[in-house]
Amino acid sequence: GESVGLHLPTLSVQEGDNSIINCAYSNSASDYFIWYKQESGKGPQFIIDIRSNMDKRQGQRVTVLLNKTVKHLSLQIAATQPGDSAVYFCAEIPPNQAGTALIFGKGTTLSVSS
Amino acid sequence: DGGITQSPKYLFRKEGQNVTLSCEQNLNHDAMYWYRQDPGQGLRLIYYSQIVNDFQKGDIAEGYSVSREKKESFPLTVTSAQKNPTAFYLCASSTSGWATGELFFGEGSRLTVL
């Protein structure tokens, strides 16, 4: 079964608000996590990643937070724009799985209204 | 431009027919992957290949077959043994060793069984 999941399947926000998308993972030994964005009818695109030796990592308008104590991952999007509307997936690499594929969660659909 | 090309984008199949989905990459990546995506679901791994002439089954390999005769190409055949083949199929590639863990995805192929 899946070891990565998301708290909410959908999230609706107003343009300009900050968005927080959450993800829970089950394998405490996983050491690498990635967030992907998938627009309708397209393949997922890499947003940001984080390794287990970090608690926080920032990109352009996005921040990923990792709480290993409760096995929780979140993606924060600042000043959300209509172009941010998409499905967001978290993914993990389980331990001792270097060279094999990521395990994806089910995704959260973010809808941004103007 | 470097990237991954999947074809066809849309494909219709009658029950009992085999179909082959094409995936070509010019990123010089060693590893390639096939994922299946169903509505409201995450990505599930079908097959992956870390090197030419070698591939491994993923979580849902039954009813599918692949080949990796060239580094650039990783075609997926959906056989008549696949009981529920209607889905969105995504091909991806990555560098080996998970230096970044980033997967580069194609635009996907949507297969519909009539």
Side-chain angles (χ1 to χ4, degrees), chain B residues 4 25 50 61 63:
Chain B
I4 298 179
Q25 55 100 357
Q50 293 177 259

Side-chain angles (χ1 to χ4, degrees), chain A residues 9-83:
Chain A
T10 61
L11 176 64
S12 297
V13 300
Q14 292 285 325
E15 182 179 2
D17 288 350
N18 295 333
S19 302
I20 300 177
I21 300 171
N22 295 307
C23 175
Y25 63 95
S26 60
N27 194 327
S28 59
S30 290
D31 55 9
Y32 186 60
F33 305 88
I34 303 178
W35 280 100
Y36 283 88
K37 172 186 180 182
Q38 185 178 24
E39 296 177 352
S40 180
K42 297 186 177 181
Q45 291 181 299
F46 173 92
I47 302 174
I48 192 168
D49 59 359
I50 189 168
R51 297 198 178 275
S52 59
N53 61 353
M54 302 172 68
D55 296 322
K56 178 179 180 180
R57 191 168 188 212
Q58 288 184 296
Q60 186 177 10
R61 281 202 307 119
V62 294
T63 301
V64 55
L65 299 177
L66 176 62
N67 186 332
K68 295 181 287 292
T69 302
V70 295
K71 292 182 289 186
H72 184 267
L73 192 69
S74 69
L75 177 70
Q76 300 179 358
I77 304 174
T80 313
Q81 302 169 359

